[in-house]
Amino acid sequence: MSDTPGPSEEVDLHARDPEWFREHVQSFQFWFEAVEGYLGGLDHGRPPEIPEAPLSGIERARLVTALCNYCVGETAALEGAGGLIRIAPNRETKIFLSTQTVDEGRHLEVLIHRLRELGVEDPEAEIRARAAPALLAFKDRLLDLVARGDWEAALFAQNVILESMEFAVFQNHARTADPRTHEVLMRIVKDERRHIGFGENELGRRLRAEPSLRTRLHPVRQELDRLVIAAFDEGGAGSGASPREREEITRAYLHAVKRLGFE
Amino acid sequence: MKGDEEATGGSTEVGERRRYELDDQGFDEVPKKYRKFYRRWKGPGDELAPNEIFCPVCRIVIRSPREIRPGDRIYCMACMTRLRAVRGPDGRIVAEVEYT
């Protein structure tokens, strides 16, 4: 690297060397300095002083179903990111995936804690009872791609499809959520920015070098698109999203796949 | 600054670039020393200054200490993306992802 990373107030970040940028943002050092800005001083992913808002029975049931399905998605991402470390092509991506694995573990923990705050005594049993079958099928398919060592397909499934949908669903849900859930979700969204960016950039570089990869990934996309959309419908993951909000949620994902050159 | 000409390759603008003093606007998703280069997108009514550009990947605003022109390289640290400023179909300067 020609540049040395440093905190000079005078430096124009955008004039830095691209190699420095890529290695720096994928480092544990960067991750640590980034997350301490928004995770310090929290109690299970939210400021401790946020009061519990009263919820009606229907509102609580809908929230519990959504959170249970978020837990399925986060478990898939946790196991997926951890498994991807083994097949990642270089040191930088392995290190980044180690930070993503930590993020996903945190997400699962704070969502389980939120379920307990809502009076769910056995979160594991509740998740099993409320999980959308399509989301479970997506998880199985993702972990199968990881187990088979298919780096591009697994990365596409996890960091483009799953993470894009989570990013959009959590942002949308946070807009109308009770204050505690809002705080928890918005901090998960901050982590998700890194995950979607990593997936799109890593896959984009691969597709640029090997355009025929699009053809190979096309059936993966078709199969997993269908599962994610079905999961959205089955699991209440949209938490009562209106048709306009649903359109907005899928738009972010569709823009990402369009930028990657998929029809 | 390193490579001013390099970073402005393809620019159709003329004249000296305006310079901007960046301030921390509370964007807490990147290390403290880089916060001033970013801010949150406030929605459809949010107007971008000549030294600002929208990240199409993670939907935040990226800021530069100088006026942004077509050809400039821009980094989004929040989603770890390298972008290039280009003139969009409507004449506005937008960011495109560089997958290299």
Side-chain angles (χ1 to χ4, degrees):
Chain A
M1 280 186 295
S2 57
D3 284 344
T4 50
S8 169
E9 291 298 312
E10 308 305 322
V11 166
D12 177 2
L13 166 68
H14 307 298
R16 302 298 292 260
D17 181 75
E19 281 305 307
W20 169 84
F21 175 75
R22 184 156 61 169
E23 183 163 343
H24 185 54
V25 294
Q26 291 188 4
S27 69
F28 226 101
Q29 178 68 31
F30 175 86
W31 173 86
F32 190 78
E33 289 181 41
V35 300
E36 71 179 352
Y38 60 89
L39 294 182
L42 301 182
D43 177 8
H44 292 90
R46 61 166 173 78
E49 68 277 8
I50 305 286
E52 187 73 84
L55 296 172
S56 70
I58 292 171
E59 287 169 335
R60 181 192 168 280
R62 187 183 290 162
L63 177 58
V64 167
T65 298
L67 293 175
C68 283
N69 280 283
Y70 297 167
C71 286
V72 175
E74 294 296 343
T75 304
L78 172 62
E79 294 179 25
L84 279 170
I85 295 171
R86 185 180 60 80
I87 59 171
N90 54 50
R91 172 176 52 86
E92 290 85 1
T93 51
K94 285 178 190 292
I95 290 174
F96 173 79
L97 284 164
S98 74
T99 69
Q100 183 176 341
T101 304
V102 174
D103 290 336
E104 308 296 2
R106 185 188 79 80
H107 300 170
L108 183 58
E109 183 175 280
V110 297
L111 291 169
I112 295 273
H113 185 264
R114 186 74 193 108
L115 283 170
R116 288 208 174 97
E117 284 183 329
L118 291 164
V120 175
E121 287 179 8
D122 185 349
E124 306 302 333
E126 203 72 35
I127 291 166
R128 276 196 300 275
R130 295 181 188 243
L135 191 52
L136 293 171
F138 181 96
K139 178 177 174 239
D140 287 347
R141 189 72 180 101
L142 165 64
L143 297 180
D144 176 54
L145 293 170
V146 174
R148 285 185 359 216
D150 189 338
W151 168 249
E152 290 88 0
L155 190 69
F156 184 51
Q158 173 164 305
N159 280 56
V160 178
I161 298 178
L162 179 61
E163 296 286 342
S164 292
M165 288 300 279
E166 285 184 342
F167 181 68
V169 167
F170 293 171
Q171 269 188 309
N172 181 71
H173 184 177
R175 276 202 283 266
T176 55
D178 65 273
R180 281 191 178 182
T181 306
H182 170 87
E183 293 289 336
V184 168
L185 291 176
M186 286 314 292
R187 283 172 176 80
I188 294 177
V189 164
K190 293 178 184 198
D191 292 335
E192 305 288 19
R193 281 191 217 283
R194 292 188 298 277
H195 306 166
I196 58 170
F198 172 77
E200 181 172 334
N201 283 283
E202 181 65 21
L203 201 60
R205 279 191 286 275
R206 296 260 162 172
L207 288 164
R208 192 169 180 268
E210 190 188 338
S212 63
L213 191 54
R214 276 187 196 87
T215 311
R216 188 168 77 75
L217 293 179
H218 184 67
V220 177
R221 186 206 162 179
Q222 279 195 314
E223 179 194 2
L224 296 181
D225 262 7
R226 185 176 49 77
L227 289 176
V228 162
I229 290 165
F232 188 86
D233 289 334
E234 291 169 2
S239 193
S242 67
R244 189 190 56 77
E245 287 169 330
R246 292 169 61 87
E247 197 184 314
E248 212 170 285
I249 286 167
T250 50
R251 193 184 305 139
Y253 160 64
L254 291 173
H255 281 179
V257 293
K258 193 176 173 192
R259 280 193 299 273
L260 288 168
F262 291 95
E263 292 304 315
Chain B
M1 185 167 57
K2 180 192 165 194
D4 216 17
E5 297 93 343
E6 174 193 299
T8 58
S11 171
T12 57
E13 309 288 334
V14 292
E16 201 169 319
R17 290 184 191 235
R18 277 171 282 179
R19 290 266 165 191
Y20 294 82
E21 190 75 34
L22 300 181
D23 56 335
D24 186 335
Q25 298 200 4
F27 187 82
D28 61 1
E29 297 178 34
V30 296
K32 205 166 188 174
K33 55 184 172 275
Y34 303 121
R35 285 184 186 173
K36 64 182 180 179
F37 293 100
Y38 304 95
R39 71 170 175 83
R40 299 202 186 290
W41 169 245
K42 295 172 193 146
D46 189 350
E47 206 162 302
L48 297 179
N51 68 320
E52 295 181 328
I53 200 159
F54 185 70
C55 175
V57 176
C58 73
R59 306 176 66 80
I60 64 161
V61 177
I62 307 166
R63 309 167 74 220
S64 170
R66 59 184 189 155
E67 177 188 345
I68 295 174
R69 293 184 177 177
D72 285 357
R73 183 178 62 221
I74 305 288
Y75 294 124
C76 181
M77 277 190 155
C79 67
M80 316 191 311
T81 300
R82 177 150 58 101
L83 303 149
R84 184 71 63 178
V86 297
R87 179 81 58 195
D90 62 356
R92 285 186 299 180
I93 297 175
V94 294
E96 273 186 357
V97 184
E98 282 202 324
Y99 302 118
T100 52

